[in-house]
Amino acid sequence: MRNVLVTGAHGQLGSHVIDLGTSSGSPVRGVGSAELDITDEAAVAAAVAPGSVVINCAAYTAVDAAETDEVAATAVNGHGPAVLARACADVGAALIHVSTDYVFAGDATQPYPVDARPDPRSAYGRSKLLGEQAVRAILPSAHVVRTAWVYTGEGNDFVATMRRLERDRDTVRVVDDQLGCPTYARDLAAGLLELAFRADSDPVPGGILHATNGGEATWYDLACAVFAGVGADPHRVLPCTSDEFVRPAPRPAYSVLDGQSWSAAGLTPLRPWREALEAALGALDAHA
Ligand SMILES: NC(=O)c1ccc[n+]([C@@H]2O[C@H](COP(=O)([O-])OP(=O)(O)OC[C@H]3O[C@@H](n4cnc5c(N)ncnc54)[C@H](OP(=O)(O)O)[C@@H]3O)[C@@H](O)[C@H]2O)c1
């Protein structure tokens, strides 16, 4: 089994990759930004072992801040993946690079296939697209795995925020005109590890893959499901439009990703989003 190096290991996704990998006894090592800055060429070259697999979960993810700090976002999301891809290419390591639905315009009416034309509308989306392009140009055997609406239920993510608001407020207004795929970080982590360990026995050809939990939802749908999941009345969630919550970076109105490429590669499809949310809420309760 190949050694796996996870960058951005203290983030939402990276921490679940490490947790799942180590709990299953897999040779997984995580590095946070303090131990490995993915934009540091010498440090990255020293960290990537020959024949290993790198899962890049490191990113500049402050979508709104990126609008006024595109240089910083591009350094991490555009240049960083290029540095990783070069280091992997130099020593024969494999690379799995995580990307986002924000590379698309978000004005589709049906799920985006992997070969749909990217057309990012935000600085974050542009920076992530640069990273995808660099990875694919430098290391064609690499996998670019796009995902969307990732949550753990901890910290300040959407699910955690809804759990908190359910306790603090009578009602909460949530936008009901953006459609996407809520994705439990742990399910995506399992998918990334499955892809990584296929590198030995039955490698998946390099290219772009889409990995999200199944189905689609609006933020309002997700909020109602969180309320119901914690035993609260979902009618306390009130639908509203994006116009009522204007943010610095535009949000895609429709960014559902088509997971056909993932299942066609023989990878286990991520379960439907409602099942995943139920599991996530159960895990949070168990750890409370
Ligand atoms: N969250 C979502 O809804 C979502 C949706 C679609 C795609 N994605 C993608 O999924 C991946 C994982 O995102 P996430 O939600 O886990 O984000 P996250 O929680 O913000 O984690 C990102 C991690 O990257 C680290 N990082 C930042 N700059 C770095 C650098 N120069 N070198 C090394 N590490 C650096 C951060 O460390 P510090 O905190 O120490 O800076 C942080 O721990 C990203 O590629 C993201 O674009 C996320």
Side-chain angles (χ1 to χ4, degrees), residues 8 10-14 33 36-39 57-59 61 76 98-101 124 128 147-150:
H10 304 312
Q12 291 194 104
L13 178 59
S33 61
L36 182 66
D37 176 347
I38 63 163
T39 67
C57 298
T61 54
V76 181
V98 182
S99 194
T100 171
D101 54 327
Y124 167 74
K128 292 292 292 184
T147 189
W149 292 28
V150 178

Side-chain angles (χ1 to χ4, degrees), residues 41-162:
E41 290 178 25
V44 168
V48 176
S52 62
V53 182
V54 175
I55 302 180
N56 180 31
C57 298
Y60 180 114
T61 54
V63 173
D64 289 325
E67 290 300 307
T68 49
D69 203 7
E70 191 161 354
V71 171
T74 303
V76 181
N77 295 343
H79 180 59
V83 170
L84 284 168
R86 240 175 260 120
C88 289
D90 285 348
V91 298
L95 175 62
I96 297 173
H97 170 65
V98 182
S99 194
T100 171
D101 54 327
Y102 277 60
V103 298
F104 295 119
D107 56 1
T109 51
Q110 45 189 322
Y112 282 103
V114 288
D115 56 357
R117 190 176 65 86
D119 183 14
R121 299 295 165 91
S122 63
Y124 167 74
R126 286 190 291 274
S127 71
K128 292 292 292 184
L129 179 58
L130 286 173
E132 289 190 1
Q133 290 168 337
V135 165
R136 298 190 66 209
I138 296 165
L139 190 64
S141 60
H143 298 101
V144 170
V145 179
R146 294 189 187 124
T147 189
W149 292 28
V150 178
Y151 66 87
T152 60
E154 294 165 297
N156 289 316
D157 71 21
F158 183 85
V159 170
T161 302
M162 288 304 127

